[in-house]
């Protein structure tokens, strides 16, 4: 129970990778704040994730909002402190795709992806910074992507947002290290989630052929690393980008 009495915020945790991360922290005894976008039906989904966490021995509360709105991320940090008394770990996982070839990519799709994926993480970190600095302790894990490391045709907006997130990770790691705050990024390859299920089958096959391990990863492959990076076994690791991708980037 490594995370007993630790408060962990996971953004975009109603489903997919974020949900699995929230469940794993819950199983380690954490007090988890499940944060996700405020759309119809999301409260029930987030509440169900909280129910699973409680059933596994953790504590959990959900809070709905939009990472791209600073008022919402300020409210998220206040909610976590009011409910649980501290903010110890933040996993910036919320992310979207709006894929298209660059000639066809609309300004709106460029802005939406940069705003959620990059500005969203900045907003959460900024909202939490004072609290983490006062505590002189904290861990931030940002969910990047191999697309941010090596680029990907049809994902100019997404790749740029994730490359930006890697720069944000390193800058935050340098800026906050003196206050005992660590910040790392995970760069998943292709993971089986609703996000990759949307890809046409022939594209999925082509991607699998290019992965040395010849398969997509599972959400638990990412969640295991998020929990490791947030814990004491990783206490000397900061400013790093760790690929979890079946060998795609090497
Ligand atoms: P997902 O299944 O689409 O889950 C993302 C979650 O974030 C959803 O619940 C989504 O809500 C929520 N979200 C979207 N915009 C938000 C906002 N503005 N504020 C708060 N929450 C918001 O995605 P995933 O596949 O689990 O991916 C999770 C992260 O891993 C993302 O950052 C993604 O870029 C990254 N990643 C994924 C893969 C992969 O293969 N799946 C690979 C590399 C990196 P909705 O229900 O409204 O969509």
């Amino acid at each position: 129970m490594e995370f007993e009495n630790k408060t962990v915020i996971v953004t975009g945790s109603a489903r997919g990778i974020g949900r699995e991360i929230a469940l794993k922290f819950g199983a380690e005894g954490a007090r988890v704040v499940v944060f996700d976008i405020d759309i119809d039906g999301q409260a029930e989904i987030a509440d169900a994730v909280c129910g699973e966490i409680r059933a596994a021995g953790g504590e959990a509360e959900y809070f709905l909002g939009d990472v791209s709105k600073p008022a919402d991320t300020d409210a998220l940090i206040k909610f976590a402190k009011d409910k649980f008394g501290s903010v110890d770990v933040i996993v910036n996982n919320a992310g979207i795709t709006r894929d298209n070839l660059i000639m066809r990519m609309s300004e709106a799709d460029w802005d939406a992806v940069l705003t959620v994926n990059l500005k969203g993480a900045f907003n959460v970190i900024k909202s939490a910074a004072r609290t983490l600095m006062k505590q002189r302790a904290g861990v931030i894990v940002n969910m990047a992507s191999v697309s941010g490391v090596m680029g990907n045709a049809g994902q100019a907006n997404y790749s740029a947002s994730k490359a930006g997130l890697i720069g944000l990770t390193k800058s935050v790691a340098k800026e906050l290290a003196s206050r005992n705050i660590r910040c790392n990024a995970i760069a998943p390859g292709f993971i089986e989630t609703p996000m990759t299920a949307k890809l046409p089958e022939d594209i999925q096959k082509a991607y699998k052929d290019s992965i040395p391990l010849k398969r997509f990863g599972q959400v638990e492959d990412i969640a295991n690393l998020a929990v490791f990076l947030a814990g004491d076994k990783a206490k000397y690791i900061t400013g790093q980008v760790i690929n979890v991708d079946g060998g795609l980037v090497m």
Side-chain angles (χ1 to χ4, degrees):
M1 287 296 195
E2 186 179 0
F3 290 91
E4 218 157 26
N5 298 323
K6 301 270 189 211
T7 306
V8 178
I9 295 173
V10 187
T11 69
S13 51
R15 64 185 185 140
I17 293 170
R19 174 180 174 278
E20 184 67 17
I21 292 171
L23 294 177
K24 278 252 187 303
F25 275 109
E28 292 291 335
R31 305 177 294 212
V32 183
V33 179
V34 172
F35 181 77
D36 214 291
I37 192 96
D38 192 1
I39 52 170
D40 272 359
Q42 204 80 329
E44 288 73 18
I45 298 170
D47 194 35
V49 177
C50 291
E52 284 186 72
I53 292 170
R54 289 184 203 116
E59 285 180 67
E61 299 286 342
Y62 72 84
F63 188 77
L64 300 182
D66 185 340
V67 287
S68 63
K69 295 190 178 140
D72 288 7
T73 58
D74 283 350
L76 166 65
I77 301 304
K78 184 175 181 320
F79 176 85
K81 284 165 64 181
D82 289 349
K83 284 279 173 201
F84 295 133
S86 65
V87 175
D88 302 290
V89 177
I90 295 170
V91 183
N92 283 309
N93 167 81
I96 60 168
T97 52
R98 296 283 185 276
D99 297 351
N100 217 331
L101 297 174
I102 203 148
M103 278 174 56
R104 292 194 204 128
M105 186 172 286
S106 67
E107 187 182 354
D109 283 349
W110 172 270
D111 287 347
V113 170
L114 269 289
T115 303
V116 173
N117 297 6
L118 181 54
K119 188 177 159 194
F122 161 74
N123 286 341
V124 178
I125 294 168
K126 186 173 175 196
S127 294
R130 194 179 299 275
T131 301
L132 300 181
M133 287 167 80
K134 265 194 192 163
Q135 289 173 179
R136 294 195 166 263
V139 184
I140 300 163
V141 178
N142 293 327
M143 203 56 66
S145 167
V146 289
S147 300
V149 178
M150 63 180 193
N152 197 18
Q155 286 198 312
N157 50 359
Y158 184 78
S159 303
S161 75
K162 296 300 188 179
L165 193 54
I166 289 169
L168 176 68
T169 300
K170 294 178 181 180
S171 297
V172 168
K174 286 189 173 174
E175 199 170 313
L176 301 185
S178 63
R179 305 295 177 107
N180 192 34
I181 296 160
R182 297 186 294 106
C183 182
N184 291 290
I186 299 175
F190 296 98
I191 307 299
E192 277 177 18
T193 66
M195 191 179 262
T196 46
K198 281 192 300 196
L199 294 167
E201 242 170 58
D202 55 327
I203 303 278
Q204 289 196 34
K205 187 181 176 308
Y207 282 143
K208 281 178 190 166
D209 286 344
S210 68
I211 299 168
L213 287 180
K214 300 287 175 216
R215 55 186 160 81
F216 287 173
Q218 307 293 314
V219 286
E220 65 178 40
D221 297 325
I222 306 304
N224 286 336
L225 179 60
V227 171
F228 170 77
L229 285 173
D232 254 17
K233 292 191 187 85
K235 66 185 192 310
Y236 201 52
I237 301 176
T238 196
Q240 303 306 303
V241 184
I242 302 178
N243 304 321
V244 183
D245 61 0
L248 188 61
V249 175
M250 65 168 91

